Amino acid sequence: MRPTTLCFPVAADGRLLLGCKKRGFGNGKWNGFGGKLEPGESFRECAVRELYEEVSLLAEPEALEYMGFLDFHFTAAPAADHITYIYFVKTWTGDPAGSEEMDPRFFTVDRLPYDRMWQSDRVWLPRLIKGERIKGRVIFAPDGETVQSLEIKEDRQ
């Protein structure tokens, strides 16, 4: 089980910054920014590092707002299983810039590209956008795309 992070920059006007994955796991899908923890790194430090590496935005760990925790399982590829701490960030420095891994773009929340995102995102991301903190488990079917099982509940912490 790999520990990972996911960070969604939220502009002052409420738009969400997403990145279209250019390679590797999730290629062609729109998502937040994040990745695997490095040794000795906290989840917040990982999210800040990945945000900079993937889209050139600098944020402080304290600026990250914890929004949830998800446990992802891939029935046909257990090596891809991972836990993810999810954050929103509303303050940063720099302008979004593409990288070898991601092509960034702002979206209004009523126009998110759910048809080009992970299937479970259309269930849990709207809850985060409404301000709810969540925790849950997502199990993907053997095709790696279809949600086989989904359990999301409010995280009252």
Side-chain angles (χ1 to χ4, degrees), residues 65 67 88 125-133 154:
E65 179 183 359
M67 296 304 297
F88 279 178
L125 187 54
R127 292 173 72 169
L128 300 185
I129 291 167
K130 290 178 185 173
E132 183 181 341
R133 289 188 172 91
E154 187 174 1

Side-chain angles (χ1 to χ4, degrees), residues 4-54:
T4 66
T5 62
L6 197 53
C7 185
F8 293 91
V10 182
D13 63 5
R15 291 176 303 146
L16 215 58
L17 183 65
L18 300 177
C20 186
K21 192 83 183 305
K22 293 180 176 180
R23 63 179 187 192
F25 187 72
N27 184 39
K29 292 189 185 316
W30 288 93
N31 207 349
F33 304 92
K36 300 178 222 99
L37 262 72
E38 291 184 351
E41 196 172 48
S42 72
F43 283 96
R44 287 176 182 273
E45 290 166 339
C46 174
V48 165
R49 175 183 52 77
E50 290 282 352
L51 188 62
Y52 181 73
E53 289 175 2
E54 293 181 351

Side-chain angles (χ1 to χ4, degrees), residues 4-149:
T4 66
T5 62
L6 197 53
C7 185
F8 293 91
V10 182
D13 63 5
R15 291 176 303 146
L16 215 58
L17 183 65
L18 300 177
C20 186
K21 192 83 183 305
K22 293 180 176 180
R23 63 179 187 192
F25 187 72
N27 184 39
K29 292 189 185 316
W30 288 93
N31 207 349
F33 304 92
K36 300 178 222 99
L37 262 72
E38 291 184 351
E41 196 172 48
S42 72
F43 283 96
R44 287 176 182 273
E45 290 166 339
C46 174
V48 165
R49 175 183 52 77
E50 290 282 352
L51 188 62
Y52 181 73
E53 289 175 2
E54 293 181 351
V55 74
S56 299
L57 297 180
L58 288 169
E60 294 295 326
E62 307 79 42
L64 300 181
E65 179 183 359
Y66 169 80
M67 296 304 297
F69 171 86
L70 291 173
D71 185 0
F72 292 100
H73 291 268
F74 293 82
T75 55
D81 291 357
H82 57 280
I83 60 167
T84 302
Y85 280 82
I86 306 166
Y87 302 96
F88 279 178
V89 64
K90 296 177 180 173
T91 58
W92 62 81
T93 57
D95 294 315
S99 64
E100 289 181 13
E101 192 169 351
M102 295 288 237
D103 183 23
R105 186 169 134 204
F106 280 102
F107 292 89
T108 59
V109 296
D110 61 336
R111 299 238 182 215
L112 294 176
Y114 287 119
D115 60 326
R116 293 189 53 211
M117 297 172 77
W118 289 101
Q119 194 179 71
S120 64
D121 293 5
R122 67 192 70 174
V123 174
W124 58 263
L125 187 54
R127 292 173 72 169
L128 300 185
I129 291 167
K130 290 178 185 173
E132 183 181 341
R133 289 188 172 91
I134 62 163
K135 60 182 170 183
R137 181 179 182 149
V138 180
I139 300 174
F140 287 93
D143 67 6
E145 296 287 330
T146 307
V147 173
Q148 178 176 309
S149 170

